[in-house]
Amino acid sequence: MEQDHQMTKEDFEATFKKLPESAIFRLPLSLVHGVPLMKPIADQWERVETFQARPDDIFIVTYPKAGTTWIQEIVDSIMNDGDLEKNMRAPTHVRSPFLELFPPPPMPSGVDALNITPSPRLVKTHLPYKLVPISFWEKKCKTIYFARNLKDNAVSCYFFDQMNKSQPDPGTWDEYVEKYLKGEMSWGNWFDHVIGWWNAKDKHDILYIFYEDMKEDPKREMRKVTKFLGKNLSEEVLDKIFHHTTFEAMKENPMANYSTVPNIVFDQTISPFMRKGEVGDWMNYFTESQSKMFDTEYEERMKGTDLKFRTTI
Ligand code: PPS
């Protein structure tokens, strides 16, 4: 079903072109309860905080660049019982609106888009556990947390921040790794995020899964998601979903590759949204000393948790 809040790429572009670049692009981040967020989110925080969940909402939660779009496509496919025509109804951000996003009007905010999305809604958020609207838990919504290892996550963020003008300028890779480890990033520190959600997983209806596991054996992980969502799909349907959600298929799919976002915002000539989709790409960018610095911080920060990540498969 087409949804009312779908705007064309041209509408998007026209809106951005009307505004001075300095008012919308490369803005510094603002703190919300100690977490750095994009300024428009901080300015309209009350709208996020008071967001009303519905009991059949499915929350898809990630740290940025952990593979959100991938798990969104998988969840939508499962919810459509493998009827992939339905996945082609609209781009990812319309099928699964981004709760805390506030693009310049008249583009709808995530909250406005969600308010007119029919149930069951697939709600995307990058919020750390401590910032989640209370209504999430009051309504006992099912939540899928998709996590990716620190090093690949950092590389993916670096390339994204170069092409995505709504984020602060990433600077050089050497500058970026320092900032990344300190958590001076949109949505804050990677450790706080992955550990916060890990600790929450037994208190709520949360399925915590990993990018690396999904790469290793997609159908095994998709079966976990299917079961968690209370669905029962045949192997044949799972096969279809597997083929539909490979990196190669999604890179070519205009409803999944963000080609509907104008270049003025996502300049995919700098770096494509579907960049590499691999585990271990970090080895192409980290120097030995940067890798050691990350390993040291990882050991320190992960002490006392049984949460484990793999940086290779
Ligand atoms: S965002 O902007 O936070 O929503 O971005 P997000 O979707 O979380 O992350 C984008 C990265 O996920 C990779 N990706 C995939 N990997 C494997 N298989 C599939 N199907 C897939 N779809 C997206 C995408 O390539 C980005 O990772 P990098 O490492 O940059 O390639």
Side-chain angles (χ1 to χ4, degrees):
M1 187 181 69
E2 286 292 310
Q3 292 172 7
D4 293 333
H5 53 285
Q6 205 177 141
M7 289 180 72
T8 64
K9 188 169 180 171
E10 290 69 34
D11 294 335
F12 252 125
E13 194 141 32
T15 302
F16 279 106
K17 282 196 168 143
K18 271 189 231 142
L19 297 160
E21 289 213 1
S22 59
I24 43 170
F25 293 141
R26 302 291 186 205
L27 298 177
L29 303 174
S30 295
L31 293 181
V32 173
H33 301 294
V35 178
L37 293 175
M38 289 155 72
K39 192 176 176 312
I41 305 178
D43 290 348
Q44 293 162 88
W45 181 245
E46 205 191 326
R47 298 213 58 213
V48 178
E49 215 168 21
T50 57
F51 172 71
Q52 289 305 302
R54 300 178 194 157
D56 56 359
D57 283 343
I58 298 160
F59 281 89
I60 298 174
V61 188
T62 54
Y63 189 72
K65 310 319 285 180
T68 329
T69 315
W70 190 13
I71 192 74
Q72 283 174 294
E73 195 65 32
I74 291 171
V75 171
D76 194 31
S77 307
I78 293 172
M79 292 307 289
N80 293 329
D81 299 308
D83 181 352
L84 302 173
E85 289 277 301
K86 290 190 183 155
N87 286 51
M88 302 307 284
R89 69 194 182 281
T92 310
H93 66 269
V94 175
R95 287 181 283 143
S96 172
F98 189 175
L99 170 64
E100 65 270 27
L101 199 70
F102 289 96
M107 283 181 287
S109 67
V111 173
D112 289 337
L114 283 163
N115 284 341
I116 56 164
T117 297
S119 293
R121 303 182 295 188
L122 308 183
V123 184
K124 164 183 170 177
T125 180
H126 290 319
L127 291 175
Y129 178 68
K130 71 172 190 179
L131 290 189
V132 163
I134 188 76
S135 171
F136 242 62
W137 310 125
E138 286 170 350
K139 299 291 180 349
K140 302 188 184 338
C141 302
K142 281 189 190 293
T143 300
I144 298 174
Y145 189 83
F146 198 46
R148 188 179 197 183
N149 80 77
L150 174 65
K151 290 175 176 173
D152 281 324
N153 215 143
V155 171
S156 186
C157 284
Y158 177 61
F159 280 95
F160 188 55
D161 287 356
Q162 291 178 56
M163 68 83 118
N164 174 10
K165 304 286 167 47
S166 74
Q167 294 301 321
D169 191 320
T172 65
W173 170 244
D174 289 352
E175 288 161 354
Y176 196 77
V177 286
E178 299 272 343
K179 278 195 296 184
Y180 199 82
L181 218 45
K182 287 191 207 139
E184 292 168 3
M185 295 284 126
S186 268
W187 291 279
N189 183 288
W190 179 91
F191 292 99
D192 293 341
H193 212 282
V194 296
I195 297 172
W197 279 97
W198 182 254
N199 292 341
K201 77 180 187 326
D202 301 324
K203 293 187 223 147
H204 306 285
D205 200 5
I206 299 174
L207 175 72
Y208 198 110
I209 48 173
F210 298 88
Y211 184 100
E212 294 73 28
D213 291 349
M214 189 65 84
K215 276 302 278 191
E216 183 178 66
D217 190 342
K219 280 179 64 188
R220 178 190 65 205
E221 298 308 303
M222 284 178 201
R223 273 185 217 106
K224 286 185 197 164
V225 178
T226 306
K227 185 164 173 242
F228 179 72
L229 295 174
K231 292 279 187 177
N232 191 3
L233 303 179
S234 66
E235 281 303 303
E236 195 191 332
V237 169
L238 275 179
D239 257 332
K240 254 172 71 179
I241 297 177
F242 160 67
H243 288 295
H244 175 75
T245 56
T246 60
F247 175 78
E248 293 72 21
M250 285 181 57
K251 193 175 170 71
E252 296 306 318
N253 179 352
M255 294 297 117
N257 64 14
Y258 280 93
S259 55
T260 53
V261 175
N263 271 7
I264 192 168
V265 189
F266 282 1
D267 188 345
Q268 299 216 32
T269 63
I270 296 177
S271 179
F273 188 93
M274 296 289 166
R275 194 185 59 88
K276 278 198 185 166
E278 286 171 6
V279 178
D281 184 42
W282 63 270
M283 288 182 243
N284 296 316
Y285 301 97
F286 276 73
T287 63
E288 214 177 306
S289 78
Q290 286 167 344
S291 179
K292 275 204 184 113
M293 179 170 80
F294 270 52
D295 291 344
T296 308
E297 183 76 5
Y298 181 88
E299 288 204 355
E300 188 54 37
R301 291 293 314 264
M302 301 297 272
K303 265 185 200 151
T305 165
D306 53 351
L307 171 60
K308 300 259 177 301
F309 282 88
R310 294 186 291 166
T311 53
T312 56
I313 52 173

